[in-house]
Amino acid sequence: MDLSRCRIAIHGGAGVIDRASLDGEREAAFRAALEGIASRAWLALKQGASALDVVEQAVRELEDFPLFNAGRGAVLNADGVVELDASIMDGRSRAAGAVAAARTPTHPVTLARAVMERTEHVLLVGEGADRLAEALKLERSPPDYFVTAERAAQQKLAARLGKVTLDHDPLYNGPDPKDPRGTVGAVARDAWGHLAAATSTGGMTNKHPGRAGDTPVIGAGTWAEDATCAVSATGHGEFFIRSALAHDVHARMRYGGASLAQACAGALARVGELGGDGGLIAIGHEGEVALPYNSEGMYRAWVDGDGVLRVAIYAEVAEHAL
Ligand code: ASP
C-alpha cells in the first residue's frame, strides 16, 4: 500500500455549456457537487479503499445529484420516461458489468456492478436488467423519482422540434430548458496502483425508446486495465461507439507506446473526425491524469499527484486545498 499512488477524477458531462445559460446559483451548485464528491472519493482512497469501490461510490453520488443526467434527473426518452445506462470496469482483471435502458434502479452503476460480480454476463438490457435489480433486492425507485420538471420540459421541447437532443440547437441557449448534458463518470487509481472506471447516464433527450449510447458499451464509454489506463467518456454516444473511444485510448498506449495525454488526444480526434463532440477523463498506470474535451466545456474535478483538488467547467481551473 502506497498512498502516493492515489488519484481520482470525476466528470458530470461535456457539451455545449453556454455561460449565459448557466446562472450563478446553478453554477455554484454544480461546482459544490463536484468538489464534495471528489473530495470524499479522495478521502476514501487515502483510507485504503479500492479504486473499484471508490468509482462506484462517486458515481452513486453523482447519480443522486438531480442536475446531472444520470439516476435522478436523467433525461427523458421519447415516451417521457427515463432509460438508464451504466457501466463499471475493474482494471485488475478487466472484469466488467453494464446495464442499458433500465428503468428502475436508483443507482444504475450499482446494478452494473452486480451484473459484473453476480452474473455470468457483462451487459443486461431493459426489463432483464430491472429484473436483476429486483431479484437482488437492489434499491429501485418508481418513475416519478427520476423525473425532474426541467427534464420533462426539455423532452417536450425536443419532441415538438422533432429532435433527439437539443445540443447545437439555437433554442438550447435560451433561458430554459437548458443543459441537456450531464452524463457522469469516475476513474480512480488506488494505493495499490489498481485502476477502475465507471460511467452512468440517461443518454440523450427524446431518444428512441431502447436506444443505448456509449456509456454501457465497454470499450466505448468505459475501460479500465491496470497495464494502461482507466477511462470514462461523455459526449455524443453514437460517435464514441463508432470510435471505440475508451478502448482506443488503451490501445494507443498498449500497442503504440503513446503517453496517456497523446492517447487521449488521438482517440478524441477520431471522434471529432466523425463530427462528434464530448470529452473524457483518464488516469494512466503511472498516475498521469488527463481530462480533454472538444466541446465548450466539461464538468470535472480531479486530484493528481500534488494532492490538490481541482474543479473546472470551462478552461479555467479552481484549486482547493485538501
Ligand atoms: N454519452 C452519453 C450518451 O450518448 C451522453 C453524454 O455523455 O452526455 O448516451
Side-chain angles (χ1 to χ4, degrees), residues 181 183 201 203-204 211 213-215 234-237:
R181 292 292 181 90
T183 288
T201 189
M204 300 172 84
R211 177 263 186 189
D214 59 314
T215 300
T234 169
H236 196 144

Side-chain angles (χ1 to χ4, degrees), residues 59 94 100 130 132 141 222 249 279 305:
V59 169
R94 278 191 285 143
D130 288 315
L132 180 72
S141 293
T222 301
V249 175

Side-chain angles (χ1 to χ4, degrees), residues 101 107 161 171 180 224:
H107 294 107
L161 296 170
L171 281 176

Side-chain angles (χ1 to χ4, degrees), residues 31-224:
R31 288 183 183 277
L34 290 167
E35 189 184 331
I37 294 167
S39 57
R40 283 189 289 280
W42 177 250
L43 191 65
L45 286 169
K46 287 286 185 183
Q47 288 170 345
S50 71
L52 189 67
D53 285 346
V54 167
V55 295
E56 182 194 358
Q57 178 58 28
V59 169
R60 284 174 64 96
E61 292 188 41
L62 289 158
E63 287 171 342
D64 285 342
F65 183 71
L67 296 181
F68 291 129
N69 171 18
R72 182 161 165 256
V75 299
L76 307 184
N77 73 5
D79 290 340
V81 297
V82 297
E83 287 191 332
L84 305 161
D85 297 346
S87 64
I88 190 164
M89 188 162 180
D90 185 345
R92 288 174 294 196
S93 57
R94 278 191 285 143
V99 293
R103 294 187 175 197
T104 61
T106 309
H107 294 107
V109 70
T110 295
L111 182 56
R113 185 167 176 176
V115 173
M116 175 174 88
E117 293 180 337
R118 301 174 71 177
T119 77
E120 292 170 42
H121 310 302
V122 168
L123 172 61
L124 290 185
V125 305
E127 200 197 325
D130 288 315
R131 278 171 48 189
L132 180 72
E134 188 180 5
L136 296 178
K137 299 192 172 26
L138 299 184
E139 194 185 344
R140 298 162 77 224
S141 293
D144 286 359
Y145 164 82
F146 297 101
V147 179
T148 63
E150 187 173 344
R151 296 305 191 193
Q154 285 171 359
Q155 191 270 323
K156 282 201 177 75
L157 178 57
R160 189 149 46 79
L161 296 170
K163 292 184 183 261
V164 172
T165 176
L166 300 182
D167 297 341
H168 311 301
D169 190 300
L171 281 176
Y172 164 68
N173 290 335
D176 204 50
K178 52 196 169 192
D179 189 38
R181 292 292 181 90
T183 288
V184 305
V187 290
R189 181 176 186 247
D190 62 27
W192 290 269
H194 297 307
L195 297 170
T199 315
S200 182
T201 189
M204 300 172 84
T205 302
N206 203 37
K207 64 186 179 181
H208 196 288
R211 177 263 186 189
D214 59 314
T215 300
V217 177
I218 296 297
T222 301
W223 189 264

